[in-house]
Amino acid sequence: MQRLIPSPFYMALMCLLLGGMVGCAGPTGGQKIYQQGMDEANAGNLEEAVGTLQKGVSTFPGNMDMRLGLARLQFERGMIHHERELNLRRTGAALLETDRRAEGTAANRAASQAHQQAVPLFTSCEEQIDEVVSSSDDPKQVAWASSLGMRVCLFFERYAEAYEHISRAIHEGKPTGKLLTKWRNFQASIKEKVAGHTDDDDYR
């Protein structure tokens, strides 16, 4: 059984969801299943929680809380592989610099494999995000889904879409204080990435 060490962003999102800042469906809309999945996630049982929420989404496709929770967990699963990829690439680069070519090549090969393991998880995450963004009538749900969508698009190096996501998150969520500063910093950084990939000046 795979166990999850929750990231700070994950814990913030769970507090948002469980604390009622995002509208939760009633018991007839799958709330019991949703709560079970969140309890499993908070206990660190990642795969079990994902399985629970996948079944919940299949049964209650209109439960946006469930979709957002599932998206977050799929993102966390993808990050496990992505962080491994980044570590292996750093290791590979260091080995190649010291002429340990065989070891460096092996590390880079393992990094590529880790990347490929992350891709379907981020893709599944994005499917849930797109559904929340297009279907939810709760601005805070849309904002948190969009902030997560930004991170997924950065993984795929789709910078223009990442910019659209974070801009939507700021517009819909109307964050204040440290969160606003953090999201604005993301927005500015991504704008630079967009400028480096296109001559289009629409991202202002």
Side-chain angles (χ1 to χ4, degrees):
M1 180 182 297
Q2 189 176 24
R3 295 187 65 82
L4 168 70
I5 300 175
S7 68
F9 186 87
Y10 168 85
M11 293 306 297
L13 181 59
M14 291 302 101
C15 287
L16 180 73
L17 293 172
L18 296 174
M21 292 178 67
V22 171
C24 293
T28 59
Q31 180 62 11
K32 289 183 178 179
I33 299 174
Y34 168 76
Q35 185 65 54
Q36 178 185 342
M38 293 299 96
D39 289 344
E40 290 165 350
N42 288 330
N45 300 324
L46 179 54
E47 291 186 359
E48 188 175 342
V50 166
T52 296
L53 294 183
Q54 284 177 330
K55 292 178 182 177
V57 165
S58 178
T59 305
F60 302 99
N63 188 319
M64 295 296 111
D65 288 342
M66 193 118 60
R67 287 188 180 276
L68 185 54
L70 177 57
R72 182 61 213 176
L73 294 182
Q74 293 288 48
F75 179 83
E76 289 286 342
R77 294 178 76 197
M79 282 302 298
I80 291 171
H81 298 293
H82 184 45
E83 288 173 359
R84 181 169 178 267
E85 174 198 356
L86 296 178
N87 288 334
L88 284 165
R89 293 205 185 281
R90 284 191 288 267
T91 299
L95 289 168
L96 290 174
E97 285 180 359
T98 58
D99 289 329
R100 296 165 66 181
R101 296 188 178 279
E103 294 171 89
T105 300
N108 286 334
R109 187 180 300 113
S112 295
Q113 292 173 348
H115 180 88
Q116 290 306 314
Q117 289 175 309
V119 167
L121 297 171
F122 284 126
T123 299
S124 296
C125 169
E126 192 167 40
E127 290 172 358
Q128 301 303 326
I129 290 168
D130 290 344
E131 189 66 33
V132 174
V133 169
S134 64
S135 301
S136 177
D137 57 3
D138 187 323
K140 289 188 181 297
Q141 277 185 334
V142 173
W144 280 100
S146 295
S147 70
L148 190 56
M150 170 202 69
R151 293 166 181 257
V152 173
C153 287
L154 289 177
F155 170 80
F156 287 115
E157 298 183 355
R158 302 200 314 258
Y159 300 117
E161 291 179 52
Y163 185 89
E164 292 173 2
H165 270 300
I166 193 60
S167 297
R168 185 188 305 109
I170 293 170
H171 176 75
E172 295 290 340
K174 296 178 174 55
T176 59
K178 291 182 179 180
L179 182 59
L180 176 59
T181 299
K182 181 178 181 179
W183 283 4
R184 284 294 189 193
N185 287 340
F186 275 134
Q187 188 182 41
S189 177
I190 296 168
K191 183 179 179 181
E192 293 180 2
K193 291 283 190 181
V194 172
H197 284 73
T198 179
D199 293 327
D200 193 347
D201 195 34
D202 289 340
Y203 301 99
R204 291 188 294 179

